[in-house]
Amino acid sequence: MTQQLTLNVGMREGYRFSSFFVTPENAELLGILKNGFEREFPQIFLWGDTEAGKSHLLQAYCERYYQRGLMAAYLPLGSCAQYGTRVLAGVEGKHLVAVDELDAVIGQRDWEVALMNLINMCRTNHQPLIMASRLNPREMVCVLPDFSSRLLWSADYRVHPVQGGQCLQAMAWRAHQRGFELSEHVMKYIERHYPQNMTTLMALLDQLDSASLTRGRKITREFIREVMQKNANTSLLK
């Protein structure tokens, strides 16, 4: 992906709806997003745990606009807030506005004023607006009551994290998407030796995928042990 957004904030490669592992808990939300939330709501608010996939969904929505030849602004406030509220300038001409990591600036009056103005502008200009935060908008402690109420002007949905056995299913599914399979023996080995969370398993998948391509070898239990031992030895030498 070559598109650069406001402040040259680039979106991560591969963040599309097709690469999002859909659990039953998130099925309704995915249906709304894939059909185009703007058909039903002028804005939508996603909230949930850090690793739930909110950023993935916001960037996937932006990607879909790009595929249609339209413009989108993706603003992850966790990294953009250091530049001040001026990062919100220039989004008026975009066909979609996506504001991520909203909780990074909640409680700061200047940001709440700027974001309230952004919401007002999007509503006036009929620009679809999608926002995301770790916090439920109903539980946010905002300085400005008017800003708090605008966060609830339309629909909000919790993005549920992939948990427990779903993490292994997601890992196998993601491997299949990349063009290779993880055997039942391999999955049982991973289940016994690695924590069942998406951060750990996706990092492991990246390492195995890269090593398998480099060495031209199939991923087996023995191969996993070799790769992880080599990585551990490399870390000790640093």
Side-chain angles (χ1 to χ4, degrees):
M1 182 180 303
T2 60
Q3 293 89 354
Q4 293 291 312
L5 308 179
T6 303
L7 278 184
N8 292 322
V9 177
M11 297 192 297
R12 288 191 60 176
E13 184 70 31
Y15 274 11
R16 298 178 173 85
F17 289 130
S18 60
S19 62
F20 187 84
F21 182 74
V22 184
T23 61
E25 296 86 353
N26 290 323
E28 179 185 356
L29 171 59
L30 263 291
I32 290 171
L33 294 178
K34 287 182 177 181
N35 289 331
F37 76 84
E38 59 270 39
R39 295 182 179 182
E40 301 182 49
F41 319 113
Q43 72 183 44
I44 191 169
F45 196 111
L46 310 185
W47 57 276
D49 296 344
T50 301
E51 299 296 330
K54 303 180 302 295
S55 297
H56 187 139
L57 293 176
L58 263 65
Q59 293 182 49
Y61 216 88
C62 290
E63 167 66 18
R64 191 167 74 164
Y65 266 66
Y66 277 118
Q67 292 298 325
R68 292 160 54 193
L70 301 175
M71 296 184 294
Y74 173 69
L75 298 165
L77 297 185
S79 55
C80 290
Q82 61 181 313
Y83 300 107
T85 58
R86 66 180 182 274
V87 301
L88 301 179
V91 303
E92 187 172 354
K94 306 296 184 182
H95 297 99
L96 171 73
V97 179
V99 181
D100 203 355
E101 302 168 345
L102 197 69
D103 44 291
V105 299
I106 294 300
Q108 301 178 42
R109 185 181 182 87
D110 59 335
W111 271 103
E112 290 190 11
V113 169
L115 288 166
M116 183 168 62
N117 291 335
L118 173 67
I119 293 172
N120 290 340
M121 181 195 72
C122 288
R123 185 63 62 96
T124 299
N125 295 342
H126 303 288
Q127 290 173 274
L129 172 64
I130 181 170
M131 297 177 283
S133 167
R134 288 184 300 108
L135 303 174
N136 183 330
R138 291 173 176 79
E139 299 174 357
M140 284 184 171
V141 181
C142 301
V143 175
L144 303 175
D146 285 347
F147 172 63
S148 181
S149 66
R150 279 166 173 75
L151 295 178
L152 297 172
W153 260 2
S154 196
D156 69 276
Y157 285 86
R158 181 184 178 188
V159 183
H160 297 267
V162 179
Q163 296 179 322
Q166 292 177 335
C167 295
L168 286 170
Q169 295 174 28
M171 183 183 191
W173 177 79
R174 188 68 63 85
H176 177 76
Q177 280 206 319
R178 295 186 183 189
F180 62 95
E181 305 296 331
L182 297 175
S183 71
E184 182 179 350
H185 293 301
V186 165
M187 294 306 299
K188 287 183 177 179
Y189 177 83
I190 292 172
E191 183 178 12
R192 289 195 303 269
H193 292 87
Y194 294 92
Q196 304 302 293
N197 64 73
M198 289 299 289
T199 300
T200 299
L201 295 182
M202 290 303 102
L204 174 62
L205 183 63
D206 287 341
Q207 294 178 62
L208 297 177
D209 188 9
S210 176
S212 176
L213 288 172
T214 300
R215 305 181 193 181
R217 289 179 57 187
K218 183 179 179 180
I219 297 176
T220 62
R221 290 173 294 184
E222 293 71 22
F223 183 71
I224 294 174
R225 286 194 288 265
E226 289 178 23
V227 171
M228 301 315 293
Q229 183 61 51
K230 180 179 179 180
N231 290 346
N233 292 339
T234 301
S235 298
L236 290 173
L237 293 174
K238 290 183 179 179

